[in-house]
Amino acid sequence: MDVQNLYTHLFTTNNYNKLIRPSRNQSVPLSVHVIFTIYGISGVDEIQQKLTTTGWLEIEWTDELLSWTPSSFGGLRYIYYPQGDVWKPDISLQNGFSKLDELGSKFISVYIDSNGLVNWRPFQVFKSKCDIDSTYFPFDRQTCHLDFEAWSLSSADVHIIQGSKGIVLADDLQKHGEWKIVSSSAVNLAESHETKVRFTIMIQRKSLYAIMNYIIPILLLSILDIFTFKIPVDTGERIGYVITVWLAYAVFLTIISDALPQSSESIPIVSIYIMLQIFIGTVIVIISAIESGCAHRSDDESVYYILKTLTKKCRKQNEPENSMCLDRGCLTTFANHECLCLEGEEVCVTWKEAISALDKVLFWVCLIIFVSSTLITLLVAGLKYI
């Protein structure tokens, strides 16, 4: 009976009107304290630039029209009442991604104590706009804001203040398979006639999955591509091998294309790296095709002059005086530590010898490009947040 008498006293006898701001002095703004508790991250959409979080707001204010003396009602110190039947600030998500909706649901009740303190805890799925920068994928971090403001009430009516805890991570925080919360903060924002509070969360992508399924396969395919130059060009297996590796690139890129961030605003460094490796693989296919054609040409004296610097038959050597050597029919003597070819005894370089020498150079050039580009990519993408 005490509860019924209290309800009658507050809402019938006192003629409570939920449309009136509950301040006896209407010239003083009502202070509303807001705490945001995050229950979990539901998803991040790079294309739509959207963050979806699940949680609840804890909103408190003092309703001077809903206070009573506990001793007059059997020591009753608090009650619960449906949220739709009391005055409450029309707080909403300013940077929301969907239409403007009222917080909470009809079945949610507010907590009211004898001093008029009202505690409202609306639970909701919040879809907010967030500028997603995927440049450093899969080592990227994103900073997202959730701005809550009183939509129709000005700062002269309501003053929204962050609660003592600001933003809180729930004890049973639900883990997300791709993202984790690194840090969070809250700050009050005051603009001309608006008052609002901003909750900021920094999330970081879990990179292990991307490393195991995207990065490492690309590295292995790149290494296989480089070792094309270790296959003799005259065996007939090189063209089949290099095309197979290139097709593996194409098939793999098709498989992971949907998994990579699909935004033109920020191109991931990893995507640039993958395209670089595919470009190098294409060049290797072209070089291998040209070399295979040259390997079946008849030996021509012009090869000696074209690639003489790569396959010199005579070079300076530090050998004992008066020693002699025989190199493919080119008799050389060493006098005064100089290598001298006997006149008319130089041997022309064959196409296979020239291609073999060129392959050695190309192997090391491609290996250096691969190692340097990989290290630069990892340093730029991975060490940004270390």
Side-chain angles (χ1 to χ4, degrees):
M1 291 298 295
D2 291 329
V3 177
Q4 183 177 350
N5 292 335
L6 179 58
Y7 280 7
T8 302
H9 171 74
L10 293 177
F11 298 99
T12 303
T13 305
N14 291 346
N15 195 23
Y16 182 84
N17 191 339
K18 66 179 181 180
L19 301 179
I20 300 175
R21 183 163 59 90
S23 297
R24 300 190 187 278
N25 186 356
Q26 293 290 313
S27 62
V28 178
L30 179 65
S31 296
V32 178
H33 299 266
V34 182
I35 298 174
F36 181 37
T37 302
I38 300 178
Y39 183 68
I41 298 176
S42 300
V44 178
D45 193 325
E46 287 93 348
I47 299 179
Q48 298 186 26
Q49 304 283 288
K50 178 176 66 176
L51 170 69
T52 304
T53 54
T54 305
W56 64 88
L57 294 176
E58 187 173 345
I59 307 173
E60 288 186 347
W61 68 92
T62 299
D63 192 324
E64 297 178 355
L65 304 180
L66 292 178
S67 60
W68 68 91
T69 303
S71 59
S72 301
F73 298 94
L76 191 63
R77 295 187 175 278
Y78 67 89
I79 60 173
Y80 292 95
Y81 210 72
Q83 71 167 43
D85 295 332
V86 299
W87 179 94
K88 58 184 183 298
D90 56 348
I91 295 178
S92 59
L93 183 61
Q94 183 187 37
N95 60 335
F97 203 85
S98 56
K99 66 178 182 179
L100 195 64
D101 290 324
E102 180 184 6
L103 292 178
S105 302
K106 293 181 179 181
F107 68 88
I108 296 179
S109 297
V110 296
Y111 168 92
I112 308 172
D113 71 4
S114 59
N115 295 318
L117 179 66
V118 181
N119 183 282
W120 179 33
R121 301 179 64 190
F123 184 93
Q124 199 154 324
V125 176
F126 299 100
K127 297 180 181 181
S128 59
K129 296 178 181 178
C130 181
D131 294 331
I132 307 296
D133 184 2
S134 303
T135 302
Y136 301 99
F137 172 89
F139 307 102
D140 53 325
R141 289 183 181 178
Q142 311 297 336
T143 301
C144 301
H145 307 291
L146 290 90
D147 297 336
F148 292 94
E149 72 165 342
W151 191 254
S152 60
L153 300 173
S154 66
S155 57
D157 301 318
V158 171
H159 189 200
I160 299 179
I161 306 172
Q162 62 165 334
S164 58
K165 298 179 181 179
I167 185 169
V168 181
L169 302 182
D171 294 334
D172 54 345
L173 180 69
Q174 298 297 303
K175 295 183 180 180
H176 191 268
E178 186 177 5
W179 297 91
K180 64 179 179 179
I181 299 176
V182 178
S183 63
S184 60
S185 62
V187 62
N188 297 318
L189 298 178
E191 301 177 359
S192 60
H193 300 291
E194 297 179 352
T195 175
K196 59 184 177 181
V197 60
R198 167 173 289 180
F199 298 105
T200 302
I201 60 175
M202 180 180 290
I203 57 178
Q204 180 175 339
R205 194 188 304 267
K206 298 178 181 179
S207 57
L208 181 60
Y209 179 84
I211 291 175
M212 296 297 296
N213 292 275
Y214 310 149
I215 308 299
I216 292 181
I218 287 295
L219 296 179
L220 296 178
L221 287 174
S222 300
I223 294 174
L224 291 178
D225 224 352
I226 294 173
F227 273 85
T228 298
F229 297 112
K230 289 297 183 180
I231 301 177
V233 71
D234 57 343
T235 59
E237 300 294 334
R238 173 182 285 195
I239 289 296
Y241 173 86
V242 71
I243 292 179
T244 300
V245 174
W246 193 92
L247 290 176
Y249 266 125
V251 173
F252 182 74
L253 186 60
T254 302
I255 295 174
I256 69 171
S257 59
D258 293 335
L260 295 175
Q262 301 176 19
S263 174
S264 297
E265 298 296 329
S266 56
I267 301 177
I269 295 177
V270 171
S271 297
I272 299 176
Y273 175 80
I274 293 175
M275 294 308 299
L276 174 63
Q277 300 305 322
I278 293 178
F279 174 77
I280 294 175
T282 303
V283 172
I284 292 177
V285 172
I286 295 174
I287 292 175
S288 299
I290 295 174
E291 288 183 345
S292 296
C294 294
H296 294 85
R297 295 181 59 178
S298 58
D299 293 337
D300 196 300
E301 187 175 345
S302 61
V303 182
Y304 177 75
Y305 297 103
I306 296 174
L307 301 174
K308 183 177 181 180
T309 56
L310 296 177
T311 54
K312 291 183 179 179
K313 307 308 292 182
C314 296
R315 57 187 179 274
K316 292 183 179 180
Q317 296 183 9
N318 188 14
E319 294 289 342
E321 193 173 328
N322 297 326
S323 62
M324 301 181 64
C325 67
L326 184 63
D327 185 8
R328 294 182 57 82
C330 180
L331 184 62
T332 59
T333 62
F334 295 90
N336 299 324
H337 304 287
E338 293 183 358
C339 179
L340 300 176
C341 283
L342 297 179
E343 185 177 357
E345 294 296 333
E346 289 185 352
V347 178
C348 292
V349 181
T350 64
W351 279 105
K352 292 182 181 179
E353 291 173 333
I355 292 173
S356 177
L358 181 61
D359 283 345
K360 293 179 180 179
V361 175
L362 291 175
F363 173 82
W364 289 106
V365 169
C366 292
L367 183 61
I368 292 173
I369 294 175
F370 165 73
V371 173
S372 59
S373 61
T374 302
L375 291 178
I376 291 174
T377 301
L378 292 177
L379 288 175
V380 173
L383 298 183
K384 178 178 174 62
Y385 301 107
I386 295 179

